[in-house]
Amino acid sequence: MKIEILDREVQANYYDEILEMLIMGDEEFVPPLSARNSTTQKDLSSGEKTKNGILEYFEGMKQQRIMVATEEGKLLAFVSFREDYTNDEISDRELPNIYLSTLIVRPEGRGKGLTQKMYGILFEEYKHMNIFTRTWSTNAAHIRILSKFEFETLHVLKDHRGVGIDTIYFVKRLKVV
């Protein structure tokens, strides 16, 4: 098993497999990735899929940094993230930071601790930065991992992804020594 944050010039070598994984995992997201136009889309309530939805999402993701987990040359998991990101919920007072936008693990990679290992590497590599992510309120598996790593709830956007499905922003603050 190899886990690494890719240099930007190497990322393109993984784009075919990443796109394949986005298509495979489309329906596991709320709303589906095919109903989005970017990794930082503000309005997530429509849920309407578009023909180019995943491709638009993927194009935006290419502008981010990517960490991959591979085994025997096959991509098992990836996380994409951007540095020094701000929006309505993450103010510029929260800089420096990284914002984790997309995390997907292939079914055959699940249960191997890949998500936890990738988070661990990010915490070490970016220990001088606040780390942000968002997810939906019914994503129990991801929320459980975030809780284990002591992420704090930053904002809750009520019914943001549909009735009864909130968007939750999380932060793991940098440790000041």
Side-chain angles (χ1 to χ4, degrees):
M1 176 83 53
K2 183 177 180 181
I3 300 175
E4 62 184 323
I5 298 172
L6 301 175
D7 292 328
R8 290 197 182 271
E9 55 273 2
V10 176
Q11 289 183 182
N13 297 337
Y14 291 88
Y15 286 164
D16 288 344
E17 284 184 283
I18 288 171
L19 180 58
E20 174 191 323
M21 288 177 67
L22 289 171
I23 293 167
M24 173 215 61
D26 179 35
E27 292 290 329
E28 295 179 7
F29 286 78
V30 176
L33 299 176
S34 56
R36 304 180 192 196
N37 59 22
S38 79
T39 60
T40 58
Q41 184 172 330
K42 290 180 183 183
D43 180 10
L44 295 170
S45 62
S46 78
E48 275 187 48
K49 293 182 180 184
T50 65
K51 184 178 179 181
N52 295 322
I54 287 181
L55 296 177
E56 289 176 17
Y57 186 93
F58 178 56
E59 287 304 313
M61 206 180 79
K62 287 179 180 179
Q63 308 308 310
Q64 299 177 30
R65 299 290 311 274
I66 298 174
M67 175 191 290
V68 296
T70 58
E71 189 171 63
E72 297 177 7
K74 182 176 182 176
L75 182 64
L76 288 182
F78 75 88
V79 61
S80 63
F81 59 95
R82 43 180 83 231
E83 296 174 356
D84 293 334
Y85 177 70
T86 62
N87 65 11
D88 293 341
E89 285 68 43
I90 304 170
S91 76
D92 57 3
R93 292 186 318 266
E94 303 286 2
L95 298 174
N97 72 39
I98 61 170
Y99 172 75
L100 311 180
S101 66
T102 310
L103 170 67
I104 297 180
V105 179
R106 287 187 190 274
E108 61 268 29
R110 294 176 186 167
K112 297 181 178 185
L114 291 176
T115 299
Q116 293 178 21
K117 289 175 187 171
M118 290 190 299
Y119 269 113
I121 290 169
L122 288 169
F123 296 151
E124 184 58 33
E125 184 71 23
Y126 295 97
K127 61 185 164 201
H128 60 288
M129 296 181 163
N130 295 312
I131 300 176
F132 292 89
T133 193
R134 71 178 178 181
T135 194
W136 56 96
S137 56
T138 58
N139 189 352
H142 196 205
I143 292 171
R144 190 170 38 257
I145 289 169
L146 296 173
S147 176
K148 177 181 179 176
F149 284 120
E150 300 177 343
F151 274 77
E152 306 166 27
T153 299
L154 181 70
H155 292 290
V156 177
L157 305 178
K158 202 85 175 132
D159 296 331
H160 187 240
R161 298 181 188 225
V163 176
I165 305 174
D166 307 333
T167 293
I168 307 172
Y169 279 83
F170 291 92
V171 60
K172 182 163 180 73
R173 300 208 182 271
L174 62 91
K175 300 279 187 209
V176 179
V177 185

